[in-house]
Amino acid sequence: TPPVSKMLLRRLSLPSLRCRVGAPALGRAGPSSLRSLSSAVPLAPPPLAHAPPTELGPLALNRIRDNYGARLKKTRVGRGVGSGRGRKSGRGMKGMAARAGNKGFLLQSGGQTSDVKRIPKRGFYRLKREYLGVNLQDLQSWVLSGRLDRPAADAPITVKTLFDNRLITLRAGVSGIKLLGRGGGQLQVPLHVEAQQLSAPAIQAVEAAGGSVTAVYYSPLALRGLLKPEAFERKGRLRPRPALPPPKLMLKYMEAERRGYLADLKPGDVVRPHEHPPHVDLSARNPRSALPLGRRRSDWEAERSGGGSGGGGGGGGGGEFLRLLNAEEELKVLSDWTARARIYKLSDQAIVAERHEEALTELGSM
């Protein structure tokens, strides 16, 4: 047997390295002051506050593993022909199937009618109206900081005011702004606002501060003409007129609780006359929209054609007004209609004035 060195014998006689802890050397650092491995004293580990159990059982956390086959190893493609998925990466030659994205398999049925065309469709798509939210705290901060030029005393803050001051940007598909009530408890500035949608907290906060709010509808074309009228002028197009809400939104803008702008509208009134473009003649109104209560369409057409009798006291004839209970009620209706005819300059104002004089004469003879 080969001779065994003294160093090897000395190492074999030492205890295990896992339970030996070398103590720091005393005195100055130097080769003579270092404690050698042979003089290391085995120290016991410090006691633990809560010693772990020696037997954890089969449900220990260190024994948790996934079931076999639960996690499949991802196949790496394009890593050489030796991997089995190299070169063409298993996609074959060129073509639609070798490209990324939709392969269009649902649109193909091998020459037959595809399922997309064969299966019937059900339901419909409802276009959702989107509104840009504007909080009361933002409005107040813009006014106090001077970023928002406040209009005249009675002029409201509209969507055009915010757009011209570059405080909002309306992208395509947005139907206007919605006034929200965040920061309404700290509202101190009386604001007069016109928005397309109003929240209940915003209405209460603005009115409590001494302001007013109104919900106004704009169609997409009318909103574009309001915000960017120069675009219509540049193309030589006439600016659109303000449109009434669609039937599904009409009742919402006619409710006084929602502060709709159509709440106080009367028959024959012009909706927002200050927003009509200059080329619109407001005097050219349909006279049938200003007919008084109890007016017959046949009588109206007969009078316009000249077939009515103008006899005093409202004698019989196809062109007469529908007789009311007495001359006083008829005079009242005629007076209101005369006022509307004077405002809108109806073409048959002379007929109304003539019948008004007849009613006055009849009332004086009673």
Side-chain angles (χ1 to χ4, degrees), residues 44-159:
L48 299 177
H50 300 284
T54 57
E55 293 294 337
L56 296 179
L59 299 180
L61 294 178
N62 62 332
R63 292 177 176 267
I64 294 178
R65 297 288 186 275
D66 287 327
N67 295 329
Y68 181 77
R71 294 178 181 267
L72 297 179
K73 187 177 180 181
K74 183 178 179 180
T75 303
R76 302 178 67 196
V77 298
R79 295 298 186 270
V81 294
S83 64
R85 289 293 184 267
R87 193 168 177 250
K88 298 296 183 179
S89 302
R91 290 174 177 254
M93 295 296 290
K94 298 178 291 185
M96 182 171 58
R99 312 301 186 208
N102 184 18
K103 304 301 187 298
F105 293 146
L106 296 178
L107 304 177
Q108 303 172 2
S109 297
Q112 306 178 65
T113 304
S114 61
D115 295 340
V116 175
K117 294 183 179 180
R118 183 173 52 85
I119 299 176
K121 280 73 176 176
R122 295 290 184 267
F124 60 93
Y125 175 75
R126 177 179 295 174
L127 181 63
K128 297 181 179 179
R129 292 180 175 85
E130 299 181 9
Y131 299 93
L132 179 64
V134 177
N135 290 292
L136 290 177
Q137 61 181 9
D138 297 335
L139 274 181
Q140 182 172 240
S141 63
W142 292 338
V143 171
L144 296 179
S145 61
R147 294 185 59 188
L148 177 59
D149 298 335
R150 300 186 65 179
D154 298 334
I157 300 175
T158 63
V159 59

Side-chain angles (χ1 to χ4, degrees), residues 18-336:
R18 290 178 296 177
C19 58
R20 287 187 295 109
V21 179
L26 301 177
R28 294 182 177 180
S32 60
S33 62
L34 293 178
R35 191 180 296 271
S36 62
L37 292 176
S38 60
S39 60
V41 179
L43 300 177
L48 299 177
H50 300 284
T54 57
E55 293 294 337
L56 296 179
L59 299 180
L61 294 178
N62 62 332
R63 292 177 176 267
I64 294 178
R65 297 288 186 275
D66 287 327
N67 295 329
Y68 181 77
R71 294 178 181 267
L72 297 179
K73 187 177 180 181
K74 183 178 179 180
T75 303
R76 302 178 67 196
V77 298
R79 295 298 186 270
V81 294
S83 64
R85 289 293 184 267
R87 193 168 177 250
K88 298 296 183 179
S89 302
R91 290 174 177 254
M93 295 296 290
K94 298 178 291 185
M96 182 171 58
R99 312 301 186 208
N102 184 18
K103 304 301 187 298
F105 293 146
L106 296 178
L107 304 177
Q108 303 172 2
S109 297
Q112 306 178 65
T113 304
S114 61
D115 295 340
V116 175
K117 294 183 179 180
R118 183 173 52 85
I119 299 176
K121 280 73 176 176
R122 295 290 184 267
F124 60 93
Y125 175 75
R126 177 179 295 174
L127 181 63
K128 297 181 179 179
R129 292 180 175 85
E130 299 181 9
Y131 299 93
L132 179 64
V134 177
N135 290 292
L136 290 177
Q137 61 181 9
D138 297 335
L139 274 181
Q140 182 172 240
S141 63
W142 292 338
V143 171
L144 296 179
S145 61
R147 294 185 59 188
L148 177 59
D149 298 335
R150 300 186 65 179
D154 298 334
I157 300 175
T158 63
V159 59
K160 181 173 177 57
T161 308
L162 300 178
F163 185 82
D164 292 343
N165 287 271
R166 298 185 178 183
L167 297 175
I168 61 172
T169 301
L170 297 181
R171 58 180 178 83
V174 178
S175 302
I177 61 175
K178 181 175 182 178
L179 189 63
L180 303 176
R182 177 175 294 179
Q186 293 78 26
L187 185 63
Q188 300 177 358
V189 180
L191 302 174
H192 302 278
V193 187
E194 284 187 359
Q196 284 61 64
Q197 291 287 335
L198 302 171
S199 64
I203 295 175
Q204 297 176 1
V206 172
E207 293 180 351
S212 62
V213 289
T214 307
V216 183
Y217 171 79
Y218 289 107
S219 63
L221 184 61
L223 184 61
R224 190 160 59 238
L226 177 68
L227 300 181
K228 298 180 179 180
E230 64 279 357
F232 290 82
E233 298 175 359
R234 185 170 55 252
K235 296 180 181 180
R237 299 168 55 188
L238 297 177
R239 240 177 61 202
R241 302 175 60 180
L244 289 175
K248 291 185 178 180
L249 297 179
M250 181 68 74
L251 295 179
K252 180 183 298 184
Y253 288 98
M254 292 181 65
E255 295 180 1
E257 293 78 7
R258 299 187 179 184
R259 306 304 185 267
Y261 73 114
L262 301 177
D264 299 333
L265 189 68
K266 299 179 181 179
D269 292 347
V270 180
V271 180
R272 301 181 70 80
H274 60 280
E275 290 188 354
H276 285 265
H279 67 273
V280 177
D281 185 11
L282 298 180
S283 62
R285 299 285 296 168
N286 184 7
R288 295 180 182 176
S289 62
L291 288 177
L293 183 64
R295 183 72 165 133
R296 290 178 180 174
R297 180 176 178 180
S298 58
D299 296 344
W300 171 266
E301 294 177 351
E303 279 193 6
R304 291 184 62 84
S305 61
S309 61
E320 288 187 308
F321 285 95
L322 182 65
R323 297 293 301 174
L324 299 178
L325 295 180
N326 50 47
E328 295 181 1
E329 294 185 6
E330 184 178 3
L331 180 61
K332 181 179 179 181
V333 173
L334 287 172
S335 301
D336 296 340

